Coordinates of all heavy atoms in Angstrom, one line a residue:
M29 N 0.8 -1.2 0.0 CA 0.0 0.0 0.0 C 0.9 1.2 0.0 O 1.8 1.4 0.8 CB -0.8 0.0 1.3 CG -1.8 1.2 1.4 SD -3.5 0.7 0.9 CE -4.2 2.3 0.8
I30 N 0.6 2.1 -1.0 CA 1.4 3.4 -1.0 C 0.5 4.5 -0.4 O -0.6 4.6 -0.8 CB 1.7 3.7 -2.5 CG1 2.6 2.6 -3.1 CG2 2.4 5.1 -2.6 CD1 4.0 2.7 -2.7
Y31 N 1.1 5.2 0.4 CA 0.4 6.4 1.0 C 0.9 7.6 0.5 O 2.1 7.8 0.2 CB 0.5 6.4 2.6 CG -0.2 5.2 3.2 CD1 0.6 4.2 3.8 CD2 -1.6 5.2 3.3 CE1 -0.1 3.1 4.3 CE2 -2.2 4.2 3.9 CZ -1.5 3.1 4.4 OH -2.1 2.1 5.0
T32 N 0.0 8.6 0.3 CA 0.4 10.0 -0.1 C 0.2 10.9 1.1 O -0.9 10.9 1.7 CB -0.5 10.4 -1.3 OG1 -0.4 9.4 -2.2 CG2 0.0 11.7 -1.9
V33 N 1.2 11.6 1.4 CA 1.2 12.4 2.6 C 1.6 13.9 2.3 O 2.2 14.2 1.3 CB 2.1 11.9 3.8 CG1 1.6 10.5 4.1 CG2 3.5 11.9 3.4
L34 N 1.4 14.7 3.3 CA 1.7 16.2 3.2 C 2.4 16.5 4.5 O 1.9 16.2 5.7 CB 0.4 16.9 3.1 CG 0.5 18.4 2.8 CD1 1.2 18.7 1.5 CD2 -0.9 19.0 2.7
N35 N 3.5 17.2 4.5 CA 4.2 17.7 5.7 C 3.3 18.8 6.4 O 2.7 19.6 5.8 CB 5.5 18.3 5.4 CG 6.6 17.4 5.3 OD1 6.7 16.4 6.0 ND2 7.6 17.6 4.4
L36 N 3.3 18.7 7.7 CA 2.7 19.8 8.6 C 3.7 20.6 9.2 O 4.3 20.2 10.2 CB 1.8 19.1 9.6 CG 0.6 18.3 9.2 CD1 0.2 17.4 10.4 CD2 -0.5 19.2 8.9
F37 N 4.0 21.7 8.7 CA 5.1 22.5 9.1 C 4.9 23.2 10.5 O 5.9 23.4 11.2 CB 5.5 23.6 8.1 CG 6.1 23.0 6.9 CD1 5.3 22.8 5.7 CD2 7.4 22.5 6.9 CE1 5.8 22.2 4.6 CE2 7.8 21.9 5.7 CZ 7.1 21.8 4.6
R38 N 3.7 23.5 10.8 CA 3.6 24.3 12.1 C 3.8 23.5 13.4 O 3.8 24.0 14.4 CB 2.2 24.8 12.1 CG 2.0 26.0 11.1 CD 0.6 26.5 11.2 NE 0.3 27.1 10.0 CZ -0.9 27.3 9.5 NH1 -2.0 26.9 10.2 NH2 -1.1 27.9 8.3
T39 N 3.9 22.1 13.2 CA 3.9 21.3 14.4 C 5.3 20.8 14.8 O 5.4 20.2 15.8 CB 3.0 20.1 14.1 OG1 3.6 19.4 13.0 CG2 1.6 20.4 13.8
T40 N 6.3 21.1 14.0 CA 7.6 20.5 14.2 C 8.2 21.0 15.5 O 9.1 20.3 16.0 CB 8.6 20.8 13.0 OG1 8.4 22.2 12.8 CG2 8.2 20.0 11.9
S41 N 7.8 22.1 16.1 CA 8.5 22.5 17.3 C 7.8 21.9 18.5 O 8.3 22.1 19.6 CB 8.4 24.0 17.4 OG 7.1 24.5 17.3
N42 N 6.7 21.2 18.4 CA 6.1 20.6 19.5 C 6.9 19.4 20.0 O 7.2 18.5 19.1 CB 4.7 20.0 19.2 CG 3.7 21.0 18.8 OD1 3.9 22.2 19.0 ND2 2.6 20.6 18.3
P43 N 7.5 19.4 21.2 CA 8.3 18.3 21.6 C 7.5 17.0 21.8 O 6.3 17.1 22.1 CB 8.9 18.8 22.9 CG 8.0 19.7 23.4 CD 7.3 20.4 22.3
C44 N 8.1 15.9 21.6 CA 7.5 14.6 21.8 C 7.5 14.4 23.3 O 8.5 14.5 24.0 CB 8.2 13.5 21.1 SG 7.5 11.9 21.3
K45 N 6.3 14.0 23.9 CA 6.3 13.8 25.3 C 6.6 12.4 25.8 O 6.9 12.1 26.9 CB 4.9 14.1 25.8 CG 4.5 15.6 25.7 CD 3.2 16.0 26.5 CE 2.9 17.4 26.3 NZ 2.2 17.8 25.1
C46 N 6.5 11.5 24.9 CA 6.7 10.0 25.3 C 8.0 9.5 24.8 O 8.4 8.4 25.3 CB 5.5 9.2 24.7 SG 5.3 9.3 22.9
C47 N 8.7 10.1 24.0 CA 10.1 9.7 23.5 C 11.0 10.9 23.5 O 10.5 12.0 23.6 CB 10.0 9.0 22.2 SG 9.0 7.5 22.2
D48 N 12.3 10.7 23.3 CA 13.2 11.8 23.3 C 13.0 12.8 22.1 O 13.0 14.0 22.3 CB 14.7 11.3 23.2 CG 15.1 10.6 24.5 OD1 14.4 10.8 25.6 OD2 16.0 9.7 24.4
T49 N 12.8 12.2 21.0 CA 12.4 13.0 19.8 C 11.4 12.4 19.0 O 11.0 11.2 19.2 CB 13.7 13.2 18.9 OG1 14.0 11.9 18.3 CG2 14.9 13.8 19.6
W50 N 10.9 13.0 18.0 CA 9.8 12.4 17.2 C 10.4 11.3 16.3 O 9.7 10.3 16.0 CB 9.2 13.5 16.3 CG 8.2 14.3 17.1 CD1 8.4 15.7 17.4 CD2 7.0 13.9 17.7 NE1 7.3 16.1 18.1 CE2 6.4 15.1 18.3 CE3 6.3 12.7 17.8 CZ2 5.2 15.0 19.0 CZ3 5.1 12.7 18.5 CH2 4.6 13.8 19.1
L51 N 11.7 11.5 16.0 CA 12.3 10.4 15.2 C 12.4 9.1 16.1 O 12.2 8.0 15.7 CB 13.7 10.8 14.7 CG 14.4 9.8 13.8 CD1 13.6 9.4 12.6 CD2 15.8 10.4 13.4
D52 N 12.8 9.4 17.4 CA 12.8 8.2 18.3 C 11.4 7.6 18.5 O 11.3 6.4 18.6 CB 13.4 8.7 19.7 CG 14.9 8.9 19.7 OD1 15.5 8.1 19.0 OD2 15.3 9.9 20.3
H53 N 10.5 8.4 18.6 CA 9.0 7.9 18.6 C 8.8 7.0 17.5 O 8.2 5.9 17.6 CB 8.1 9.1 18.7 CG 6.7 8.7 18.7 ND1 6.0 8.2 19.9 CD2 5.7 8.6 17.8 CE1 4.8 8.0 19.7 NE2 4.5 8.2 18.4
W54 N 9.2 7.4 16.3 CA 9.0 6.5 15.1 C 9.8 5.3 15.2 O 9.3 4.2 15.1 CB 9.4 7.3 13.9 CG 9.0 6.5 12.6 CD1 7.8 6.7 11.9 CD2 9.7 5.5 11.9 NE1 7.8 5.8 10.9 CE2 9.0 5.1 10.9 CE3 11.0 5.0 12.1 CZ2 9.4 4.1 10.0 CZ3 11.4 4.0 11.3 CH2 10.6 3.6 10.2
K55 N 11.1 5.4 15.6 CA 11.9 4.2 15.7 C 11.4 3.2 16.7 O 11.4 2.0 16.5 CB 13.4 4.6 16.1 CG 14.2 5.3 15.1 CD 15.5 5.6 15.7 CE 16.3 6.6 14.9 NZ 17.5 7.0 15.6
N56 N 11.1 3.7 17.9 CA 10.6 2.9 18.9 C 9.4 2.0 18.5 O 9.1 0.9 18.9 CB 10.2 3.7 20.2 CG 11.5 4.2 20.8 OD1 12.6 3.8 20.6 ND2 11.3 5.2 21.7
N57 N 8.5 2.6 17.8 CA 7.3 2.0 17.4 C 7.3 1.2 16.1 O 6.5 0.3 15.8 CB 6.1 3.0 17.4 CG 5.8 3.4 18.9 OD1 5.3 2.6 19.7 ND2 6.1 4.7 19.3
A58 N 8.2 1.7 15.2 CA 8.3 0.9 13.9 C 9.3 -0.2 14.0 O 9.4 -1.1 13.2 CB 8.8 1.9 12.9
G59 N 10.1 -0.2 15.2 CA 11.1 -1.2 15.3 C 12.3 -1.2 14.4 O 12.9 -2.2 14.0
Q60 N 12.6 0.0 13.9 CA 13.8 0.2 13.0 C 14.8 1.2 13.6 O 14.3 2.2 14.0 CB 13.3 0.7 11.7 CG 12.6 -0.4 10.9 CD 12.2 0.1 9.5 OE1 12.9 0.9 8.9 NE2 11.0 -0.2 9.0
K61 N 16.0 0.8 13.6 CA 17.0 1.7 14.3 C 17.5 2.8 13.5 O 17.7 3.8 14.0 CB 18.2 0.8 14.8 CG 17.9 0.1 16.1 CD 19.1 -0.5 16.7 CE 18.8 -1.0 18.1 NZ 19.9 -1.9 18.6
D62 N 17.9 2.5 12.3 CA 18.5 3.6 11.4 C 17.7 3.8 10.1 O 18.1 3.3 9.1 CB 20.0 3.2 11.1 CG 20.8 3.4 12.3 OD1 20.8 4.5 12.9 OD2 21.5 2.4 12.7
P63 N 16.5 4.4 10.3 CA 15.7 4.5 9.1 C 16.2 5.4 8.0 O 16.9 6.3 8.3 CB 14.4 5.1 9.7 CG 14.8 5.8 10.9 CD 16.0 5.0 11.4
V64 N 16.0 5.0 6.8 CA 16.2 5.9 5.7 C 14.9 6.7 5.5 O 13.9 6.5 6.1 CB 16.5 5.1 4.3 CG1 17.8 4.4 4.4 CG2 15.3 4.2 3.9
C65 N 15.1 7.8 4.8 CA 14.0 8.8 4.5 C 12.8 8.0 4.0 O 12.9 7.1 3.1 CB 14.5 9.7 3.5 SG 13.3 10.9 3.0
A66 N 11.6 8.4 4.4 CA 10.3 7.7 4.0 C 10.0 8.1 2.6 O 9.1 7.4 2.0 CB 9.2 8.0 4.9
Y67 N 10.5 9.1 2.0 CA 10.1 9.6 0.7 C 10.4 8.5 -0.3 O 11.4 7.9 -0.3 CB 11.0 10.8 0.4 CG 10.5 11.7 -0.8 CD1 9.7 12.8 -0.5 CD2 10.8 11.4 -2.1 CE1 9.3 13.6 -1.5 CE2 10.4 12.2 -3.1 CZ 9.6 13.3 -2.8 OH 9.2 14.1 -3.8
K68 N 9.5 8.3 -1.2 CA 9.4 7.2 -2.1 C 10.7 6.7 -2.6 O 11.1 5.6 -2.5 CB 8.4 7.5 -3.2 CG 8.0 6.3 -4.0 CD 7.0 6.7 -5.0 CE 6.9 5.7 -6.2 NZ 6.5 6.3 -7.4
D69 N 11.5 7.5 -3.3 CA 12.7 7.0 -4.0 C 14.0 7.5 -3.3 O 15.0 7.4 -3.9 CB 12.7 7.5 -5.4 CG 11.6 6.9 -6.3 OD1 11.3 5.7 -6.0 OD2 10.9 7.6 -7.0
C70 N 13.9 7.9 -2.1 CA 15.0 8.6 -1.4 C 15.7 7.5 -0.5 O 15.0 6.7 0.1 CB 14.6 9.7 -0.6 SG 16.0 10.5 0.3
Q71 N 17.0 7.4 -0.6 CA 17.7 6.4 0.2 C 18.7 7.1 1.3 O 19.5 6.5 1.8 CB 18.6 5.5 -0.7 CG 17.8 4.6 -1.5 CD 16.9 3.7 -0.7 OE1 17.2 3.2 0.3 NE2 15.7 3.4 -1.3
K72 N 18.5 8.4 1.5 CA 19.3 9.1 2.5 C 18.8 8.7 3.9 O 17.7 8.4 4.1 CB 19.2 10.6 2.2 CG 19.9 11.1 1.1 CD 19.8 12.6 1.0 CE 20.1 13.1 -0.4 NZ 19.4 14.4 -0.6
Q73 N 19.8 8.9 4.8 CA 19.5 8.7 6.2 C 18.5 9.7 6.7 O 18.5 10.9 6.4 CB 20.8 8.9 7.0 CG 20.6 8.7 8.5 CD 21.1 7.4 8.9 OE1 22.1 6.8 8.4 NE2 20.5 6.9 10.0
A74 N 17.5 9.2 7.4 CA 16.5 10.2 8.0 C 17.1 11.0 9.1 O 17.9 10.4 9.9 CB 15.3 9.4 8.5
T75 N 16.9 12.2 9.2 CA 17.5 13.0 10.2 C 16.5 13.5 11.3 O 16.8 14.0 12.3 CB 18.1 14.3 9.6 OG1 17.2 15.0 8.8 CG2 19.3 13.9 8.8
A76 N 15.2 13.4 11.0 CA 14.1 13.9 11.9 C 12.8 13.2 11.6 O 12.6 12.7 10.5 CB 13.9 15.4 11.8
G77 N 12.0 13.2 12.6 CA 10.6 12.6 12.4 C 9.7 13.8 12.0 O 9.7 14.8 12.8
S78 N 9.0 13.8 11.0 CA 8.1 14.8 10.5 C 6.7 14.5 10.8 O 6.3 13.4 10.6 CB 8.3 15.1 9.0 OG 7.6 16.2 8.6
H79 N 5.9 15.5 11.2 CA 4.4 15.3 11.3 C 3.8 15.4 9.9 O 4.1 16.3 9.1 CB 3.8 16.4 12.1 CG 4.2 16.4 13.5 ND1 5.4 16.6 14.0 CD2 3.4 16.1 14.6 CE1 5.5 16.6 15.3 NE2 4.2 16.3 15.7
V80 N 3.0 14.4 9.5 CA 2.3 14.5 8.3 C 0.8 14.1 8.4 O 0.4 13.5 9.4 CB 2.9 13.5 7.2 CG1 4.4 13.8 6.9 CG2 2.8 12.0 7.7
T81 N 0.0 14.5 7.4 CA -1.3 14.0 7.3 C -1.4 13.2 6.0 O -0.7 13.5 5.1 CB -2.4 15.1 7.3 OG1 -2.1 16.0 6.3 CG2 -2.5 15.7 8.6
R82 N -2.3 12.3 6.0 CA -2.6 11.6 4.7 C -3.4 12.4 3.8 O -4.4 13.0 4.3 CB -3.2 10.3 5.0 CG -2.4 9.2 5.5 CD -3.1 8.1 6.2 NE -3.8 7.4 5.2 CZ -4.6 6.3 5.5 NH1 -4.6 5.9 6.8 NH2 -5.3 5.7 4.6
D83 N -3.1 12.4 2.6 CA -3.8 13.2 1.6 C -5.2 12.5 1.3 O -5.2 11.3 1.1 CB -3.0 13.2 0.3 CG -3.6 14.1 -0.7 OD1 -4.1 15.2 -0.3 OD2 -3.5 13.8 -1.9
N84 N -6.2 13.3 1.3 CA -7.5 12.7 0.9 C -8.0 11.6 1.8 O -8.7 10.6 1.4 CB -7.6 12.2 -0.5 CG -7.3 13.2 -1.5 OD1 -7.7 14.3 -1.3 ND2 -6.7 12.9 -2.6
S85 N -7.7 11.6 3.1 CA -8.0 10.5 3.9 C -8.4 11.0 5.3 O -9.0 12.1 5.4 CB -6.8 9.6 4.0 OG -7.1 8.5 4.8
D86 N -8.1 10.3 6.3 CA -8.4 10.7 7.7 C -7.7 12.0 8.0 O -6.7 12.4 7.4 CB -8.2 9.6 8.7 CG -6.8 9.1 8.6 OD1 -5.9 9.9 8.8 OD2 -6.5 7.9 8.5
F87 N -8.0 12.5 9.2 CA -7.3 13.7 9.6 C -6.3 13.6 10.7 O -6.0 14.4 11.5 CB -8.3 14.9 9.9 CG -9.0 15.3 8.7 CD1 -10.2 14.7 8.3 CD2 -8.4 16.2 7.8 CE1 -10.9 15.1 7.2 CE2 -9.1 16.6 6.7 CZ -10.3 16.0 6.3
F88 N -6.0 12.3 11.0 CA -5.0 12.0 12.0 C -3.6 12.5 11.6 O -3.3 12.6 10.4 CB -4.9 10.5 12.3 CG -6.2 9.9 12.9 CD1 -6.9 9.0 12.2 CD2 -6.6 10.3 14.2 CE1 -8.1 8.5 12.8 CE2 -7.7 9.8 14.7 CZ -8.5 8.9 14.0
W89 N -2.8 12.7 12.6 CA -1.4 13.1 12.4 C -0.5 11.9 12.6 O -0.8 11.1 13.5 CB -1.0 14.3 13.3 CG -1.7 15.5 13.0 CD1 -2.7 15.8 12.1 CD2 -1.4 16.8 13.7 NE1 -3.0 17.1 12.2 CE2 -2.3 17.8 13.2 CE3 -0.5 17.2 14.7 CZ2 -2.3 19.1 13.6 CZ3 -0.6 18.5 15.1 CH2 -1.4 19.4 14.6
Y90 N 0.5 11.8 11.8 CA 1.4 10.7 11.9 C 2.8 11.3 11.8 O 3.1 12.4 11.4 CB 1.2 9.7 10.6 CG -0.1 9.1 10.6 CD1 -1.1 9.7 9.8 CD2 -0.4 7.9 11.2 CE1 -2.4 9.1 9.7 CE2 -1.6 7.3 11.1 CZ -2.6 7.9 10.4 OH -3.8 7.3 10.3
I91 N 3.7 10.4 12.2 CA 5.2 10.7 12.2 C 5.8 9.8 11.1 O 5.5 8.6 11.1 CB 5.9 10.4 13.5 CG1 5.3 11.3 14.6 CG2 7.4 10.6 13.3 CD1 5.6 12.8 14.4
I92 N 6.6 10.3 10.3 CA 7.5 9.6 9.4 C 8.9 10.1 9.4 O 9.1 11.2 9.7 CB 7.0 9.6 7.9 CG1 7.0 11.1 7.4 CG2 5.6 9.0 7.8 CD1 6.7 11.2 5.9
P93 N 9.8 9.2 9.2 CA 11.3 9.6 9.2 C 11.6 10.3 7.8 O 11.2 9.8 6.8 CB 12.0 8.4 9.3 CG 11.2 7.3 8.8 CD 9.7 7.8 8.9
L94 N 12.3 11.5 7.8 CA 12.6 12.2 6.6 C 14.1 12.7 6.7 O 14.6 12.9 7.7 CB 11.7 13.3 6.3 CG 10.2 13.0 5.9 CD1 9.4 14.3 5.7 CD2 10.2 12.2 4.7
C95 N 14.7 12.9 5.5 CA 16.0 13.4 5.4 C 15.8 15.0 5.4 O 14.7 15.5 5.3 CB 16.7 13.0 4.2 SG 16.0 13.6 2.6
D96 N 16.9 15.7 5.5 CA 16.9 17.2 5.6 C 16.2 17.7 4.3 O 15.4 18.7 4.5 CB 18.3 17.8 5.5 CG 19.0 17.5 6.9 OD1 18.3 17.3 7.9 OD2 20.2 17.6 6.9
E97 N 16.4 17.2 3.2 CA 15.8 17.7 2.0 C 14.3 17.5 2.0 O 13.5 18.4 1.7 CB 16.4 17.0 0.7 CG 15.8 17.4 -0.6 CD 16.3 16.6 -1.7 OE1 17.3 15.8 -1.6 OE2 15.6 16.7 -2.8
H98 N 13.8 16.3 2.3 CA 12.4 16.1 2.3 C 11.6 16.6 3.5 O 10.4 16.6 3.4 CB 12.2 14.6 2.0 CG 12.7 14.2 0.6 ND1 13.6 13.2 0.4 CD2 12.3 14.8 -0.6 CE1 13.8 13.2 -0.9 NE2 13.1 14.1 -1.5
L99 N 12.3 17.0 4.5 CA 11.6 17.7 5.6 C 11.0 19.0 5.1 O 10.1 19.5 5.7 CB 12.6 18.0 6.8 CG 12.9 16.8 7.7 CD1 14.1 17.2 8.5 CD2 11.7 16.5 8.5
K100 N 11.6 19.5 4.0 CA 11.1 20.8 3.5 C 10.2 20.6 2.3 O 9.7 21.6 1.7 CB 12.4 21.5 3.0 CG 13.3 21.9 4.1 CD 14.5 22.6 3.5 CE 15.8 22.5 4.4 NZ 17.0 22.4 3.6
A101 N 9.8 19.4 2.0 CA 8.9 19.1 0.8 C 7.6 19.8 1.1 O 6.9 19.6 2.2 CB 8.8 17.7 0.6
R102 N 7.1 20.6 0.2 CA 5.9 21.3 0.4 C 4.7 20.7 -0.3 O 3.5 21.1 -0.1 CB 6.0 22.8 0.0 CG 6.9 23.5 0.9 CD 6.9 25.0 0.8 NE 7.6 25.6 2.0 CZ 7.0 25.8 3.2 NH1 5.8 25.6 3.4 NH2 7.7 26.3 4.1
D103 N 4.9 19.9 -1.3 CA 3.8 19.2 -2.0 C 3.5 17.8 -1.4 O 4.4 17.3 -0.7 CB 4.2 19.1 -3.5 CG 4.4 20.5 -4.1 OD1 3.5 21.4 -3.8 OD2 5.3 20.7 -4.9
V104 N 2.5 17.3 -1.8 CA 2.2 15.9 -1.4 C 3.2 15.0 -2.0 O 3.7 15.2 -3.1 CB 0.8 15.5 -1.8 CG1 -0.3 16.3 -1.0 CG2 0.5 15.5 -3.3
F105 N 3.5 13.9 -1.3 CA 4.5 12.9 -1.8 C 4.1 11.5 -1.4 O 3.4 11.4 -0.4 CB 5.9 13.3 -1.5 CG 6.2 13.5 0.0 CD1 6.6 12.4 0.8 CD2 6.0 14.7 0.6 CE1 6.8 12.5 2.1 CE2 6.3 14.9 2.0 CZ 6.7 13.7 2.7
E106 N 4.6 10.6 -2.0 CA 4.4 9.2 -1.7 C 5.5 8.7 -0.8 O 6.6 9.1 -0.9 CB 4.3 8.3 -3.0 CG 3.1 8.6 -3.8 CD 3.0 7.7 -5.1 OE1 4.0 7.0 -5.4 OE2 2.0 7.7 -5.7
I107 N 5.1 7.8 0.1 CA 6.1 7.3 1.0 C 6.2 5.8 1.0 O 5.2 5.1 0.6 CB 5.8 7.7 2.5 CG1 4.4 7.2 3.0 CG2 5.9 9.2 2.7 CD1 4.2 7.3 4.4
K108 N 7.3 5.2 1.4 CA 7.6 3.8 1.4 C 7.7 3.2 2.8 O 7.8 2.1 3.0 CB 8.8 3.5 0.6 CG 10.1 4.1 1.2 CD 11.3 3.7 0.3 CE 12.6 4.3 0.9 NZ 12.7 5.7 1.0
S109 N 7.7 4.1 3.8 CA 7.8 3.7 5.2 C 6.5 3.7 6.0 O 5.5 4.2 5.5 CB 8.8 4.6 6.0 OG 10.0 4.7 5.3
K110 N 6.5 3.0 7.1 CA 5.4 3.0 8.0 C 5.1 4.4 8.5 O 6.0 5.2 8.8 CB 5.7 2.1 9.2 CG 5.6 0.7 9.0 CD 5.7 0.0 10.4 CE 6.3 -1.3 10.3 NZ 6.7 -2.0 11.6
M111 N 3.8 4.7 8.7 CA 3.5 5.9 9.5 C 3.1 5.5 10.8 O 2.4 4.5 11.1 CB 2.2 6.5 8.9 CG 2.5 7.1 7.5 SD 1.0 7.9 6.8 CE -0.1 6.5 6.6
I112 N 3.6 6.3 11.8 CA 3.3 6.0 13.2 C 2.5 7.1 13.8 O 2.7 8.3 13.6 CB 4.6 5.9 14.0 CG1 5.5 4.8 13.4 CG2 4.4 5.7 15.5 CD1 5.0 3.4 13.6
K113 N 1.4 6.7 14.5 CA 0.5 7.8 15.1 C 1.3 8.6 16.1 O 2.2 8.1 16.7 CB -0.7 7.1 15.7 CG -1.7 6.7 14.6 CD -3.0 6.3 15.2 CE -4.0 5.9 14.0 NZ -5.2 5.2 14.4
I114 N 0.9 9.8 16.3 CA 1.6 10.7 17.3 C 1.3 10.5 18.7 O 1.9 10.9 19.6 CB 1.4 12.2 16.9 CG1 0.0 12.6 17.1 CG2 1.9 12.5 15.5 CD1 -0.2 14.1 17.1
K115 N 0.3 9.7 19.0 CA -0.1 9.5 20.5 C 0.9 8.4 21.0 O 1.6 7.7 20.3 CB -1.5 9.0 20.6 CG -1.7 7.6 19.9 CD -3.1 7.2 20.1 CE -3.4 5.9 19.4 NZ -3.8 4.8 20.2
K116 N 0.9 8.4 22.3 CA 1.8 7.4 23.0 C 1.4 6.0 22.7 O 0.2 5.7 22.7 CB 1.7 7.6 24.5 CG 2.7 6.8 25.4 CD 2.9 7.4 26.7 CE 2.5 6.5 27.8 NZ 2.7 5.1 27.7
L117 N 2.4 5.1 22.4 CA 2.1 3.8 21.9 C 2.9 2.8 22.7 O 3.8 3.2 23.5 CB 2.5 3.7 20.4 CG 1.7 4.6 19.4 CD1 2.3 4.7 18.1 CD2 0.2 4.1 19.3
E118 N 2.6 1.5 22.4 CA 3.3 0.4 23.1 C 4.9 0.6 23.2 O 5.5 0.3 24.2 CB 3.0 -0.9 22.4 CG 1.6 -1.2 22.5 CD 1.2 -2.3 23.5 OE1 2.0 -3.3 23.5 OE2 0.2 -2.1 24.2
G119 N 5.5 1.0 22.1 CA 6.9 1.0 22.0 C 7.6 2.2 22.7 O 8.8 2.3 22.8
C120 N 6.8 3.2 23.2 CA 7.3 4.4 23.7 C 8.0 4.2 25.0 O 7.6 3.3 25.8 CB 6.2 5.4 23.9 SG 5.5 5.9 22.3
K121 N 9.1 5.0 25.3 CA 9.9 4.7 26.4 C 9.3 5.2 27.7 O 9.4 4.5 28.8 CB 11.2 5.5 26.3 CG 12.2 4.8 25.4 CD 13.6 5.4 25.6 CE 14.0 6.2 24.4 NZ 15.2 6.9 24.6
R122 N 8.7 6.3 27.7 CA 8.3 6.9 29.0 C 6.8 6.4 29.3 O 6.0 6.3 28.4 CB 8.2 8.4 28.9 CG 9.6 9.0 28.9 CD 9.7 10.5 28.7 NE 11.0 10.8 28.2 CZ 11.4 11.9 27.7 NH1 10.5 12.8 27.4 NH2 12.6 12.1 27.3
T123 N 6.7 6.1 30.5 CA 5.4 5.6 31.0 C 4.4 6.6 31.6 O 3.3 6.3 31.8 CB 5.6 4.4 32.0 OG1 6.5 4.9 33.0 CG2 6.3 3.2 31.3
N124 N 5.0 7.8 31.9 CA 4.0 8.7 32.6 C 3.3 9.5 31.5 O 3.6 9.5 30.4 CB 4.8 9.7 33.5 CG 5.9 10.3 32.8 OD1 6.3 10.0 31.6 ND2 6.5 11.3 33.4
Ligands
ZN202 ZN1 6.7 7.9 21.8
ZN203 ZN1 14.7 12.1 1.5

């Protein structure tokens, strides 16, 4: 299944409450340690977790790992990685 997503720029300064960073939140719940960028054809190392919404779909927010270049992508794009919901999940480190 290919998902099409859009970066949400206004949310990147919100700190993650359940993990150290949003990228860690993604890693902890996706079970991958060194993710590459989620952008469809990109093989660069992901440098941050970006908030996205799915295009034409629900209005939930998700985290995906992206490289520096694709963190700035302003148009919708297809991804090859899992999307992780932004709420606290099973894999999250902090319990409070
Ligand atoms: Zn978390
Ligand atoms: Zn990329």
Side-chain angles (χ1 to χ4, degrees):
M29 180 101 192
I30 298 282
Y31 292 108
T32 308
V33 300
L34 188 62
N35 275 325
L36 291 166
F37 290 100
R38 286 178 206 160
T39 59
T40 45
S41 57
N42 295 349
C44 183
K45 294 192 180 82
C46 54
C47 299
D48 293 337
T49 66
W50 286 113
L51 184 58
D52 286 320
H53 178 78
W54 189 91
K55 289 183 197 173
N56 290 343
N57 290 292
Q60 288 182 36
K61 277 193 174 166
D62 288 305
V64 294
C65 177
Y67 198 96
K68 194 175 159 208
D69 295 317
C70 182
Q71 292 301 326
K72 286 184 199 156
Q73 178 100 32
T75 53
S78 184
H79 291 69
V80 297
T81 52
R82 281 162 67 179
D83 188 38
N84 296 327
S85 182
D86 57 53
F87 293 93
F88 292 115
W89 291 4
Y90 297 91
I91 298 297
I92 59 169
L94 290 178
C95 69
D96 286 339
E97 181 188 344
H98 291 123
L99 281 167
K100 297 177 206 144
R102 293 198 168 269
D103 296 320
V104 294
F105 57 90
E106 292 182 350
I107 58 166
K108 62 181 182 302
S109 304
K110 282 187 210 173
M111 293 184 292
I112 301 294
K113 286 190 177 168
I114 62 166
K115 65 182 178 121
K116 189 161 118 33
L117 298 164
E118 297 257 315
C120 295
K121 276 198 253 173
R122 290 176 197 162
T123 50
N124 56 348

